[in-house]
Amino acid sequence: CHTARMLTPNGKEYAQKIPREELTYLILKLLQAWKEPLSHFNQHMEHHQALPDDSLSKAKQISNMVHELETGVEKVTEKMQAMGIISNSLNGMASSEAAGLSISNEANMMSDSDFIHCFRRDSNKVQSYLKILKCRIMPENSC
Amino acid sequence: MKQKLVSIVQIILLLPLDTVGLTGQSCPGKPKIIRCRSLEKETFSCWWKPGSDGGLPTNYTLFYSKDSEENIYECPDYRTSGPNSCYFNKNHTNPWTTYNITVTATNEIGSNSSDPQYVDVTSIVQPGSPVNLTLETKTSASVMYLWAKWSPPPLADASSNAHVYHYELRLKPEKKEEWETISVGVQTQCKINGLHAGMKYVVQVRCALDSGEWSEWSSERRMQIPSGQSPPEKPTIIKCRSPEKETFTCWWKPGSDGGRPTNYTLLYSKEGEEQVYECPDYRTAGPNSCYFDKKHTSFWTIYNITVRATNEMGSNSSDPHYVDVTYIVQPDPPVNVTLELKKPINRKPYLVLTWSPPPLADVRSGWLTLEYELRLKPEEGEEWETIFVGQQTQYKMFSLNPGKKYIVQIHCKPDHHGSWSEWSSEKYIQIPNDFRVKDMIVWIIVGVLSSLICLIMSWTMVLKGYRMITFILPPVPGPKIKGIDTHLLETGKSEELLSALGCHGFPPTSDCEELLIEYLEVEDSEDQQLMPSHDKGHPSKNAKTTPKETDSDSGRGSCDSPSLLSEKCREPRALPSTLQTKDVRDVQENKARKSCWETQCVASEQKPLLFNSECAKSSTWPAAQLPNNQLPIFAYHSIVDAHKITLNTTNANVAAVLVEKEEQHQSQYSVTETVPGDMERQGEMENLHSTTEQTTVQVKQNRPNEKSSFLDAALMDYVEVHKVRQNEESSVLLKHKENSGKTEKYTIAGTSKEYTKVSTVMDHNILVLMPDSRVLHTPLSQEPAKETSQNLQQGQAEKNMSYCLTAPSDCKRETSGSEYMDPSSFMPSLK
């Protein structure tokens, strides 16, 4: 996976230990790292024409969701920074790093199955990190 | 030539056989019962082998009888045990009876029965073979043994109880012939020692019930005993699981260990790393397992796990198993399942179910999010109702039936990737019955009210039942006919009743009789008149004689001559027959009218009273002087008796005939009128007389032999006719002529009418005639000497008689349409 180089906590304890800013930063980085490859993938799928239409529409839907999620997380981050929950030391770094990642060829050279596999994993990561972040910031909310 | 003949004969002889062979149709062959077997003494089956079917579709039926009973039953089930079989289920199987079984094959041509087979269920018990035989080699304490396992034989009737079988096992090396048999007992497994390593063995098992036969041997199973010289077989990894997304465990299954003690090692490597690690913990999770604790668990990385078996001879590795822990999470079931009954005000109470996530799952940090699902069913129910609850840990149940018991279970799963946990332990819910005071009160009130209403209704029914019924079902009104008194109907006499009805002259009263009588009487004693025109074969002699007898005194009442009368009277007790004959003769001699007396006299034989009275009266007809009530009877009897008398006579054919006819006519005519017996009219008797006379007359004329034609004449000359004004009708009075010789001819002024109706009788000897509207034509029988009415009547009668004589019965009806007899109808024309 093109995001394998990213150092991400691979356990609950680690995820709970790292500071929130880093966690937020990681989430954003992950999400941004997938925006481009997903659009590429969609284009690739459309040309492929081997897949049924459901899959194509689903892929498109997923890429949209990722895009929206990324936007949402950005907004939340800004809010949190504004509220002082997290510091804004790592503010601009995520986007630039992520951009560098996404442009790399690795994303383009993956086979379809690897691509999907990587995406599945990273989405799971994002989900887990978000949940932990949520419970760390607002523990009273069904945590 | 001879050969040819022979061959021809042969062909002819063979031809029918050939046809048989060609058509191939014949009686079916005899079936044969192959065997009967019972699996467990509660059911049994019999199989038969069909004989030849004779070329036609054949039906096989199995009949059996028990012990020495007479009843023959048919097979209850032809299907369960397959073709050509009969299955006797529990209901038809009696272990202590002997069954006499025969199979009959039937086709269109005929049938054939097998020999009977006597079956005793207990003796044919043979269970099926055991199934699912498995073999394993095990090494314990460096000793290799074979572990065989099997299952009991399946039963056709699944509901039958578990029977206790005894098992027996036999094995032999593959290449050898001799079996070694081991008695196992009631267990379904066996460990066999002392086997030679490296050899292949064949194993079989069989079973038997307590006292029955052994089943067949099961199918063979072969097993290679590991010689202990080879490395172990490859183990296989069964599964890896993480209960809380923090640790995980893997289990594997070892292969055959080759006879030597074998070690198993689990080796793994992570994705992206080259290093191979060994399982950190072989124990925690049990044998043949590896437990990865938190430190060794990494998420979002793929583990490559293999298990290696090692023994002295070598090692063997399993296939690699790739696992990402994120996706193998299977939590424990939820815990702390609690129920609470909430009873809100003014609402139906409901149940709240709460639970807690499994203890190990870290839901608080959000690391593991669980979704829950619960299922419930009524205690007696079969199907579960599954409800997805989501991430909440409570659930409200509103739609449970009160009073019933339910079972509830919950399980959970991670919200993403993972598998469902096991179901929690069963929780029983008892829904309390919901008795609300309000409802109870309502029901009580309703019940009380309805019972009150019932009471009131029944009370009113009891007290005023009849009135109620009449109110509801009014009685049907009877018929109300004016003039009829129902009581009178029931009890009174018919005359009174009829008089109440206003009906006069019914039943026939003296009027008719008078009519008859008068008819007779008025006519003068012309014998010719007496004789009808169609006088067939009447002895002219008679005819002639009668005229002789008749004298001119037509007006005289018949039966007037005292001499005759006295004569007759004096001979009351003479032999009836003789008297009869005599009378007849006398009558012949005398005028016909006298015959009436004769008959009367004859009759008077039986009724001396009457007779005397008759005789006493030299008057004519009116036996009116006779007591009325007696007369009818008299007359009736007279005829009857006369009949009897005459019957007895041998001489008086005529009389006999006469009387018979009399009687007949009597029966036809007068009887109908007089038999009612209550007639008390004067006229009746006259009527009767006349009838007798008439009948006699009539008879006479019907019979050629009759000499009694003269009688007719005698019946004539009755009365004088007076025209009488009565009831606006010109009616004619007929009086008895006291004085003979006085013939009066009356012509009735005006129209010559037929006076065929007698309206009344006056003074005992006066008949009042009424014209009959129907009889219009003027008969020729108007004779000057006769009262026209009479003539008319008689003429009419004659005409009628012409009819009548031929058919007396007919004429009766034909003439006067009066409801009662018209004497004219009977009287032959007296003209």
Side-chain angles (χ1 to χ4, degrees):
Chain A
C1 294
H2 65 285
T3 54
R5 266 188 257 145
M6 283 168 63
L7 271 174
T8 55
N10 55 3
K12 183 180 88 173
E13 289 76 18
Y14 298 128
Q16 281 178 326
K17 272 182 197 169
I18 65 172
R20 298 176 208 161
E21 297 84 7
E22 254 190 78
L23 198 55
T24 316
Y25 162 74
L26 279 168
I27 292 164
L28 278 169
K29 207 159 117 176
L30 277 167
L31 287 169
Q32 283 160 2
W34 277 99
K35 269 176 21 180
E36 284 276 334
L38 276 171
S39 61
H40 279 300
F41 183 75
N42 281 334
Q43 284 172 2
H44 180 62
M45 282 299 112
E46 278 169 25
H47 295 308
H48 211 269
Q49 285 187 352
L51 295 170
D53 290 337
D54 307 350
S55 310
L56 285 175
S57 62
K58 198 81 177 179
K60 204 156 180 115
Q61 190 184 4
I62 287 169
S63 64
N64 287 340
M65 279 165 70
V66 168
H67 186 76
E68 283 173 17
L69 186 62
E70 195 260 331
T71 317
V73 172
E74 274 178 5
K75 288 219 162 66
V76 168
T77 311
E78 282 171 21
K79 192 83 182 192
M80 283 197 293
Q81 283 170 348
M83 286 169 68
I85 298 169
I86 54 175
S87 66
N88 44 6
S89 55
L90 300 167
N91 210 359
M93 290 169 67
S95 48
S96 56
E97 279 186 40
L101 276 172
S102 58
I103 292 167
S104 70
N105 281 342
E106 277 185 43
N108 300 331
M109 293 213 311
M110 276 191 292
S111 66
D112 290 340
S113 61
D114 287 342
F115 182 86
I116 290 166
H117 166 78
C118 289
F119 179 70
R120 182 191 182 206
R121 172 190 288 178
D122 283 346
S123 60
N124 197 314
K125 267 188 191 174
V126 165
Q127 184 186 16
S128 299
Y129 294 153
L130 278 170
K131 279 183 191 166
I132 286 172
L133 190 63
K134 176 188 90 168
C135 283
R136 276 171 76 174
I137 292 171
M138 290 178 291
E140 63 276 1
N141 222 5
S142 70
C143 280
Chain B
M1 191 58 186
K2 200 178 176 185
Q3 283 175 344
K4 274 190 188 171
L5 275 173
V6 167
S7 60
I8 289 165
V9 167
Q10 277 179 344
I11 289 164
I12 291 164
L13 284 172
L14 286 169
L15 206 57
L17 291 173
D18 286 340
T19 52
V20 168
L22 280 171
T23 58
Q25 293 183 345
S26 63
C27 266
K30 196 168 168 179
K32 185 172 182 225
I33 297 175
I34 310 171
R35 66 187 169 100
C36 292
R37 282 281 174 270
S38 167
L39 290 180
E40 69 310 69
K41 219 200 279 191
E42 285 172 10
T43 66
F44 73 100
S45 303
C46 279
W47 289 266
W48 66 82
K49 185 179 153 206
S52 72
D53 64 352
L56 286 170
T58 313
N59 240 352
Y60 291 94
T61 45
L62 185 140
F63 296 102
Y64 70 95
S65 65
K66 295 190 195 176
D67 283 333
S68 43
E69 282 176 15
E70 293 294 329
N71 298 338
I72 292 186
Y73 310 91
E74 198 189 329
C75 168
D77 185 345
Y78 284 106
R79 292 174 166 272
T80 307
S81 297
N84 294 325
S85 75
C86 175
Y87 173 69
F88 295 82
N89 63 11
K90 265 198 241 181
N91 303 332
H92 294 91
T93 307
N94 193 343
W96 296 278
T97 56
T98 308
Y99 289 78
N100 179 358
I101 298 174
T102 47
V103 177
T104 308
T106 318
N107 68 2
E108 283 173 11
I109 295 180
S111 69
N112 207 337
S113 287
S114 70
D115 298 326
Q117 180 105 343
Y118 294 93
V119 169
D120 185 9
V121 179
T122 46
S123 65
I124 58 162
V125 174
Q126 186 193 33
S129 312
V131 293
N132 297 342
L133 179 60
T134 56
L135 299 172
E136 273 179 41
T137 53
K138 287 194 170 254
T139 313
S140 99
S142 72
V143 175
M144 177 79 65
Y145 61 88
L146 188 67
W147 190 22
K149 282 201 285 190
W150 58 90
S151 309
L155 291 169
D157 196 0
S159 64
S160 57
N161 309 338
H163 294 267
V164 176
Y165 293 99
H166 291 271
Y167 296 99
E168 206 173 65
L169 185 146
R170 71 176 186 186
L171 76 157
K172 71 173 175 81
E174 196 180 22
K175 308 264 170 66
K176 299 263 178 80
E177 298 295 327
E178 279 185 24
W179 289 95
E180 184 189 343
T181 310
I182 301 166
S183 180
V184 178
V186 299
Q187 290 177 351
T188 56
Q189 58 180 357
C190 182
K191 288 178 185 167
I192 307 154
N193 298 330
L195 298 171
H196 298 286
M199 285 182 70
K200 206 167 187 182
Y201 282 87
V202 179
V203 177
Q204 279 183 319
V205 184
R206 71 174 180 182
C207 63
L209 285 171
D210 298 337
S211 57
E213 287 183 29
W214 284 105
S215 71
E216 300 294 329
W217 286 106
S218 67
S219 51
E220 291 180 346
R221 284 281 182 271
R222 284 152 203 274
M223 191 65 178
Q224 173 81 40
I225 307 298
S227 55
Q229 303 299 323
S230 62
E233 274 184 352
K234 206 160 59 169
T236 48
I237 295 170
I238 306 166
K239 67 171 180 178
C240 295
R241 280 288 178 266
S242 167
E244 77 293 65
K245 207 177 172 185
E246 290 167 35
T247 66
F248 73 103
T249 318
C250 282
W251 292 268
W252 68 85
K253 180 176 168 241
S256 141
D257 57 1
R260 305 277 176 138
T262 313
N263 264 346
Y264 293 94
T265 52
L266 187 140
L267 305 164
Y268 70 93
S269 65
K270 288 187 186 177
E271 177 190 358
E273 291 173 25
E274 295 297 328
Q275 182 158 8
V276 177
Y277 306 92
E278 197 185 332
C279 170
D281 190 340
Y282 285 104
R283 294 182 163 273
T284 311
N288 294 327
S289 69
C290 179
Y291 172 73
F292 293 84
D293 60 1
K294 282 185 192 177
K295 289 182 187 163
H296 296 94
T297 309
S298 304
F299 293 91
W300 303 296
T301 52
I302 294 175
Y303 282 75
N304 181 352
I305 300 170
T306 52
V307 177
R308 193 157 70 178
T310 317
N311 70 357
E312 291 162 2
M313 300 305 296
S315 66
N316 219 334
S317 284
S318 68
D319 294 331
H321 188 247
Y322 300 97
V323 61
D324 189 339
V325 186
T326 331
Y327 310 133
I328 55 162
V329 179
Q330 186 187 23
D332 294 329
V335 294
N336 291 344
V337 182
T338 56
L339 292 163
E340 198 183 330
L341 188 68
K342 292 242 168 110
K343 293 177 196 172
I345 305 161
N346 295 330
R347 271 198 292 159
K348 211 177 143 188
Y350 60 92
L351 209 65
V352 178
L353 190 71
T354 53
W355 59 89
S356 334
L360 295 172
D362 187 5
V363 191
R364 291 185 62 87
S365 62
W367 178 243
L368 180 63
T369 320
L370 294 171
E371 291 174 340
Y372 302 95
E373 193 179 67
L374 65 87
R375 68 177 187 184
L376 74 130
K377 70 165 184 182
E379 195 176 14
E380 318 79 27
E382 299 236 341
E383 284 191 12
W384 289 95
E385 189 190 342
T386 316
I387 305 160
F388 183 77
V389 180
Q391 292 177 9
Q392 54 186 346
T393 58
Q394 63 158 15
Y395 184 69
K396 292 175 193 152
M397 288 190 281
F398 297 99
S399 60
L400 295 175
N401 295 329
K404 275 198 168 182
K405 211 169 184 184
Y406 285 88
I407 306 174
V408 170
Q409 282 184 319
I410 313 170
H411 69 170
C412 56
K413 123 175 152 61
D415 62 340
H416 59 281
H417 317 297
S419 42
W420 286 101
S421 71
E422 298 291 332
W423 287 103
S424 67
S425 56
E426 289 181 350
K427 190 82 182 174
Y428 290 90
I429 303 174
Q430 176 75 42
I431 315 295
N433 278 319
D434 186 20
F435 286 117
R436 273 196 266 180
V437 178
K438 253 199 246 173
D439 291 343
M440 290 306 293
I441 287 173
V442 168
W443 282 113
I444 288 166
I445 289 168
V446 166
V448 167
L449 275 173
S450 52
S451 59
L452 269 173
I453 289 166
C454 282
L455 260 169
I456 291 165
M457 289 209 33
S458 57
W459 191 241
T460 48
M461 287 293 288
V462 165
L463 284 179
K464 297 181 183 173
Y466 181 69
R467 273 178 60 182
M468 293 282 294
I469 288 163
T470 50
F471 179 71
I472 294 166
L473 306 165
V476 178
K480 287 192 175 117
I481 301 171
K482 204 170 166 188
I484 284 190
D485 185 4
T486 48
H487 282 294
L488 193 62
L489 252 178
E490 287 161 22
T491 59
K493 299 173 183 170
S494 52
E495 305 91 31
E496 291 170 7
L497 177 67
L498 292 165
S499 66
L501 286 170
C503 165
H504 297 282
F506 178 84
T509 58
S510 58
D511 295 341
C512 352
E513 291 159 350
E514 286 168 346
L515 175 65
L516 282 172
I517 295 160
E518 81 178 12
Y519 182 74
L520 286 169
E521 309 301 339
V522 167
E523 192 68 27
D524 205 338
S525 58
E526 262 77 19
D527 297 324
Q528 286 94 7
Q529 288 155 6
L530 279 174
M531 274 184 304
S533 52
H534 62 279
D535 134 33
K536 311 170 196 170
H538 288 282
S540 57
K541 196 165 125 194
N542 292 338
K544 272 160 195 163
T545 49
T546 44
K548 255 197 248 169
E549 315 295 30
T550 55
D551 56 12
S552 60
D553 56 337
S554 62
R556 209 171 48 197
S558 59
C559 314
D560 212 4
S561 57
S563 60
L564 177 63
L565 183 60
S566 58
E567 233 180 82
K568 304 299 168 266
C569 292
R570 273 173 220 132
E571 304 162 333
R573 301 294 183 271
L575 275 174
S577 56
T578 52
L579 181 64
Q580 178 82 17
T581 53
K582 203 169 157 199
D583 291 345
V584 170
R585 267 183 265 120
D586 289 343
V587 169
Q588 282 182 2
E589 289 168 356
N590 301 331
K591 300 185 182 176
R593 58 172 176 270
K594 295 194 177 83
S595 65
C596 71
W597 289 110
E598 289 169 12
T599 54
Q600 286 181 2
C601 291
V602 169
S604 70
E605 276 287 313
Q606 320 302 321
K607 301 276 178 189
L609 249 180
L610 291 168
F611 177 70
N612 291 332
S613 61
E614 283 259 3
C615 296
K617 300 267 158 67
S618 66
S619 66
T620 56
W621 257 110
Q625 296 175 6
L626 294 169
N628 292 340
N629 48 2
Q630 287 178 0
L631 185 61
I633 303 161
F634 160 77
Y636 176 62
H637 281 286
S638 71
I639 288 165
V640 171
D641 297 334
H643 176 59
K644 285 180 196 164
I645 292 161
T646 51
L647 281 175
N648 294 334
T649 60
T650 52
N651 297 329
N653 298 335
V654 174
V657 172
L658 246 180
V659 178
E660 283 173 31
K661 285 296 179 179
E662 280 178 17
E663 193 175 344
Q664 286 178 18
H665 288 292
Q666 171 94 32
S667 58
Q668 283 177 22
Y669 170 64
S670 61
V671 170
T672 56
E673 296 170 5
T674 61
V675 166
D678 287 335
M679 302 305 173
E680 296 178 17
R681 305 283 176 212
Q682 297 176 0
E684 273 184 16
M685 96 191 140
E686 291 160 356
N687 191 12
L688 287 167
H689 285 296
S690 65
T691 54
T692 58
E693 289 176 295
Q694 287 170 12
T695 52
T696 56
V697 168
Q698 190 163 11
V699 170
K700 268 192 314 187
Q701 302 198 340
N702 282 337
R703 295 292 183 114
N705 297 331
E706 291 172 21
K707 305 180 218 168
S708 54
S709 55
F710 60 83
L711 281 172
D712 304 349
L715 297 171
M716 293 306 102
D717 102 279
Y718 179 74
V719 299
E720 61 186 17
V721 176
H722 295 282
K723 188 175 173 187
V724 171
R725 282 263 166 194
Q726 188 179 7
N727 299 338
E728 301 170 341
E729 291 169 321
S730 55
S731 47
V732 174
L733 257 184
L734 299 177
K735 269 201 224 170
H736 292 293
K737 277 222 122 128
E738 308 292 338
N739 313 324
S740 60
K742 185 181 176 188
T743 57
E744 292 183 19
K745 298 175 196 178
Y746 290 82
T747 54
I748 293 165
T751 57
S752 59
K753 288 186 192 167
E754 295 280 304
Y755 286 83
T756 53
K757 256 193 185 175
V758 178
S759 62
T760 50
V761 174
M762 291 167 54
D763 300 335
H764 286 280
N765 52 3
I766 300 172
L767 292 169
V768 179
L769 295 175
M770 283 181 6
D772 190 352
S773 54
R774 274 185 251 188
V775 183
L776 290 177
H777 51 274
T778 59
L780 300 171
S781 54
Q782 278 192 6
E783 306 250 339
K786 312 225 161 50
E787 295 79 1
T788 50
S789 61
Q790 274 290 356
N791 296 342
L792 286 171
Q793 285 177 3
Q794 289 178 2
Q796 187 60 28
E798 208 177 353
K799 286 199 172 95
N800 295 333
M801 287 315 290
S802 60
Y803 270 9
C804 290
L805 292 170
T806 49
S809 56
D810 294 340
C811 79
K812 171 182 162 180
R813 286 168 200 112
E814 213 180 55
T815 51
S816 69
S818 55
E819 55 278 16
Y820 43 83
M821 304 274 206
D822 189 350
S824 60
S825 65
F826 288 87
M827 286 301 300
S829 77
L830 304 173
K831 306 220 166 144

